[in-house]
Amino acid sequence: MKLAIDCRMLGSGGIGSYLSALLPFFIKKYECFLIGYKKDLELFQTEQSVKTLLCDFPPFSVKELFAFPKEVLEQINSCGAYYTPYCNIPSGIKVPVFSTIHDVVFLDVPDLASKIGTIVRKWFYKRAINKSKMIFTVSNFSKERIQQRLNCKNTPIIVTYNALPHWFDSKKINSVEKTDTILFVGNIKKHKGLHTLLPAFNLATKPTEQGGFDIKAQLVIVGNAENFRSGDTSIVEEINAMPKEAVQFTGRISDEKLLDLYRSAKLLVQPSLYEGFGMPPLEALSLGTNVVLSDIPVFREIYKDFPVTFFKAGDSKDLAKKIAETWIKDKPKNLPKKYSFEKTAQIIFENIDSELGH
């Protein structure tokens, strides 16, 4: 079967990584027609089962909705189906559509976007549901939230789960010496939990005579300090009140540098209040770093079989206590082989083929 795949989000954060990891399996399984930007599709020019078509219309743009190129649509509609790793679907597609909604965080978390921004996102979600034969998502938690928020009754929602990206290399775990660092990988949005982590870190590093746990550690935040200064002044005030050098911002870093940080950190803390899946804990564990994470439903689902430490979501005192307890633990071992992109791809293929009668 010939499958059209929207590749315009390759290289764009988590969704780009998700698609990049799946594409080798798609190419092996189907005759693939890839739609995207020149810089992203050059890698696939030599693949025998691949045809590429350049398209510079951005996802979620007015052009995508009302003036998608006719020559691209003709090629798409010559295929057996159309797959997109997100919920953007160009107008004019007549073949069966299979799309993806990773989470509905913008609908579930108040004030994450403007009122108009939330309405627009909900419209795109609903449009994807109405136009798709089925929706793929990355956890049972996300499936339940999609069903509740979008009243999704007639379109099947299939849980595929997420997995480690291909550039992770666990062979170097033992070659990197651990440092006294606590790692946070996330952003400044409130649901990521920095407002919980900062006071917890402050308490964990206080001397015992001051009621703390006397942990000698530095908090390393993957990201730019300027983003935090412009995005949340209260977080900046909390950081400025801490001892000098207590918190370090990495700035924008390469994948290899992120691997080094995961390997060398003694602990990753994931204090999120909401996630669709939550990749950093899986990444850290695979590279020999212990994890403390909030006991939100999706983390209970995804990491229930993994050697992680849960704390009460939003509770800084409990987080400080769990940091102290986990600080002296040995490296995590014997991780379950629960998630892989090979498994994810297989779930997608089985459902596409079943729906199309192949």
Side-chain angles (χ1 to χ4, degrees), residues 39-300:
K39 63 181 177 61
D40 297 322
L41 298 185
E42 286 176 344
L43 294 173
F44 304 98
Q45 296 285 357
T46 59
E47 295 283 351
Q48 290 187 347
S49 63
V50 170
K51 292 183 179 179
T52 61
L53 185 64
L54 304 183
C55 179
D56 59 3
F57 282 31
F60 302 105
S61 64
V62 173
K63 285 185 175 181
E64 179 188 59
L65 289 175
F66 300 107
F68 210 64
K70 290 183 179 179
E71 63 274 16
V72 178
L73 286 174
E74 287 176 359
Q75 294 285 351
I76 291 173
N77 290 327
S78 71
C79 297
Y82 176 84
Y83 170 84
T84 172
Y86 202 32
C87 58
N88 58 299
I89 301 170
S91 59
I93 295 178
K94 298 176 182 178
V95 295
V97 172
F98 298 85
S99 59
T100 313
I101 298 177
H102 294 258
D103 59 57
V104 287
V105 61
F106 286 99
L107 305 184
D108 275 344
V109 178
D111 303 321
L112 197 55
S114 66
K115 188 173 181 179
I116 293 177
T118 302
I119 291 171
V120 169
R121 285 175 171 86
K122 186 172 184 177
W123 183 85
F124 273 105
Y125 290 146
K126 291 288 288 184
R127 182 174 181 271
I129 288 170
N130 292 333
K131 288 185 171 292
S132 300
K133 287 291 184 181
M134 62 179 56
I135 299 289
F136 299 114
T137 194
V138 293
S139 65
N140 280 305
F141 171 78
S142 279
K143 175 180 178 177
E144 291 166 3
R145 299 310 302 152
I146 292 167
Q147 289 173 327
Q148 183 165 340
R149 279 291 183 178
L150 300 172
N151 193 27
C152 185
K153 295 179 179 179
N154 299 321
T155 304
I157 302 175
I158 308 300
V159 177
T160 65
Y161 293 109
N162 213 329
L164 287 171
H166 62 85
W167 47 271
F168 265 75
D169 181 6
S170 60
K171 294 178 182 178
K172 299 179 182 178
I173 289 177
N174 296 321
S175 64
V176 177
E177 186 176 345
K178 290 294 183 183
T179 59
D180 291 335
T181 56
I182 296 172
L183 190 63
F184 171 83
V185 180
N187 57 46
I188 63 176
K189 295 171 183 175
K190 288 186 177 180
H191 70 283
K192 291 295 183 179
L194 261 180
H195 282 289
T196 303
L197 174 56
L198 291 175
F201 174 76
N202 198 30
L203 179 60
T205 54
K206 273 186 178 180
T208 52
E209 58 267 24
Q210 296 180 23
F213 295 92
D214 204 24
I215 300 297
K216 301 296 188 291
Q218 181 183 54
L219 177 61
V220 177
I221 297 175
V222 177
N224 293 312
E226 289 305 317
N227 291 341
F228 289 82
R229 293 192 182 99
S230 62
D232 195 326
T233 56
S234 63
I235 285 180
V236 176
E237 291 170 0
E238 288 185 65
I239 293 173
N240 289 340
M242 292 180 181
K244 190 177 181 182
E245 308 299 329
V247 179
Q248 174 194 343
F249 291 90
T250 64
R252 187 179 178 86
I253 58 174
S254 65
D255 290 344
E256 188 57 42
K257 177 61 178 175
L258 179 59
L259 288 174
D260 288 339
L261 288 173
Y262 274 129
R263 293 188 192 106
S264 62
K266 190 171 285 188
L267 191 64
L268 172 93
V269 177
Q270 190 78 17
S272 305
L273 299 175
Y274 189 103
E275 295 284 349
F277 183 94
M279 282 299 299
L282 188 61
E283 294 168 345
L285 288 166
S286 75
L287 295 170
T289 297
N290 282 310
V291 171
V292 176
L293 70 172
S294 51
D295 63 352
I296 57 177
V298 69
F299 283 165
R300 287 288 189 186

